Amino acid sequence: MTGSGSEILLPRRRRRRRSNWRGLVYIAPAMALVIVFFIMPVLFTGWMSLHNWPLMGASRWIGFNNYVRMANDTRFMTALNFTAYYTVIVTIAIFAIAFPLAIFVEKERQFVGAYRTIIFLPVVVGLATASLLWVWLANVDSGFIGPALRGLGLLEKSPNLLATFDTAFLTIVVMVVWKIAGFTMIILLTGLQAIPSELTEAARIDGAGRWQRFRHLTLPLMRKTIALALIVSVTGSILAFDQFYIMTSGGPQNKMISVVYYIFNQSFVSFNLGYGAALSIVLLAILVAISIVQLWLLRVGEERP
């Protein structure tokens, strides 16, 4: 019996090993792409961050001096504070628009396909292109927004929307919400459509109102979808660069320089490539930490013993 049992187990182990090797072969191209285009660049950036790395000439090992310099860099801290402020405002604004839109287009109604298409259309426009478009829209002479406000009698003359921090910041936030809300809407829409209609109908029969169904049924069942949308929105906001570079060039008065914009200036304007690499490593660590915290917070209470 013992011999026959081992003979039966042996082919199973061989099949399992073959299956494991087959799985590795299938994922090998994806692993190669990750190693070549993510892991190796990150490792090389980490190596650069430990050097004084000029654009021309030989690099020089300086250890963690770039990180020490970063702790005393007030301009970097200012850029970090502005990026955090921008991320909070934009994320709240995107969700405030995208969630109602997702609920609106989730219901089967006339022209719902057209509504979804129209809302999603700005997503296919590149961010640089969208920034240039809104620079034209906000132009004080040939744009559309200023003359429209003047024509409605809201203002006596066309304002220069990109001249002051408050109006320029508001213009950029509106542009980003217009550009991104459709993408977030699609993510949230998939979560809404995954909720079984039987649960919603049972809650309605039990007398649960619209707000009660949304709070106690919809939100708990959309935790993973909300987590994905949050991570995408927060990550994209922290990595914001194009809109500030194209629309305001970091102004007015250098008040709208994001972290990525500051890394760009250090690396490719001042040619402090080693310091720029150190800033990039710290930014990557911040992104990973924020993503982990978001996932943990949204999973709290999801599984109860």
Side-chain angles (χ1 to χ4, degrees):
M1 293 294 293
T2 305
S4 61
S6 61
E7 292 176 359
I8 295 173
L9 289 175
L10 187 59
R12 291 180 181 176
R13 291 175 181 173
R14 289 177 179 174
R15 285 196 298 269
R16 191 176 301 133
R17 290 174 183 172
R18 290 176 183 174
S19 178
N20 292 338
W21 279 109
R22 191 179 296 115
L24 289 175
V25 171
Y26 287 150
I27 67 172
M31 291 177 60
L33 290 175
V34 171
I35 292 172
V36 172
F37 293 104
F38 179 74
I39 295 179
M40 290 180 62
V42 168
L43 293 176
F44 183 68
T45 303
W47 175 254
M48 285 182 64
S49 70
L50 302 176
H51 291 75
N52 180 3
W53 201 292
L55 182 65
M56 304 292 291
S59 60
R60 180 171 56 87
W61 172 270
I62 58 174
F64 292 96
N65 287 0
N66 282 325
Y67 296 92
V68 174
R69 171 185 173 184
M70 194 185 312
N72 300 318
D73 191 345
T74 57
R75 291 183 296 174
F76 171 65
M77 295 302 170
T78 301
L80 198 60
N81 290 334
F82 170 74
T83 303
Y85 173 71
Y86 168 80
T87 299
V88 171
I89 298 299
V90 165
T91 301
I92 293 174
I94 288 175
F95 270 78
I97 300 297
F99 222 132
L101 289 176
I103 295 173
F104 174 72
V105 300
E106 191 267 338
K107 304 294 183 182
E108 289 297 332
R109 54 168 57 90
Q110 193 175 16
F111 305 122
V112 67
Y115 295 147
R116 293 174 181 175
T117 302
I118 292 171
I119 296 170
F120 187 77
L121 271 178
V123 178
V124 303
V125 180
L127 187 56
T129 304
S131 300
L132 288 171
L133 172 64
W134 278 74
V135 168
W136 170 75
L137 290 173
N139 188 277
V140 66
D141 297 318
S142 60
F144 173 79
I145 298 176
L149 294 175
R150 190 178 67 244
L152 293 173
L154 299 177
L155 296 172
E156 294 182 359
K157 60 179 181 178
S158 299
N160 189 350
L161 297 177
L162 302 179
T164 63
F165 174 82
D166 292 335
T167 56
F169 184 79
L170 179 61
T171 302
I172 289 177
V173 169
V174 172
M175 184 276 293
V176 172
V177 172
W178 169 80
K179 169 80 172 67
I180 303 297
F183 179 73
T184 306
M185 179 203 72
I186 294 297
I187 296 176
L188 297 175
L189 179 62
T190 59
L192 288 172
Q193 292 178 334
I195 298 175
S197 57
E198 296 82 2
L199 294 178
T200 305
E201 188 62 28
R204 185 183 292 109
I205 293 173
D206 289 340
R210 184 173 298 178
W211 168 249
Q212 290 176 319
R213 294 196 304 270
F214 178 76
R215 180 182 177 185
H216 299 290
L217 181 64
T218 303
L219 285 180
L221 292 176
M222 289 186 63
R223 282 180 177 270
K224 293 183 179 179
T225 306
I226 293 173
L228 173 62
L230 266 177
I231 290 173
V232 171
S233 179
V234 170
T235 302
S237 300
I238 292 176
L239 296 176
F241 169 73
D242 299 57
Q243 56 267 48
F244 301 117
Y245 181 75
I246 294 173
M247 296 182 68
T248 64
S249 298
Q253 298 177 351
N254 292 329
K255 291 183 178 180
M256 291 177 34
I257 294 180
S258 64
V259 172
V260 175
Y261 197 162
Y262 186 69
I263 293 173
F264 170 81
N265 283 336
Q266 289 296 320
S267 300
F268 304 110
V269 177
S270 301
F271 299 118
N272 297 322
L273 299 181
Y275 187 51
L279 292 169
S280 301
I281 293 296
V282 169
L283 180 59
L284 175 62
I286 292 173
L287 287 172
V288 171
I290 290 176
S291 299
I292 292 173
V293 170
Q294 287 182 95
L295 289 172
W296 178 79
L297 288 175
L298 288 168
R299 286 176 180 173
V300 169
E302 185 178 27
E303 297 179 359
R304 296 180 183 277

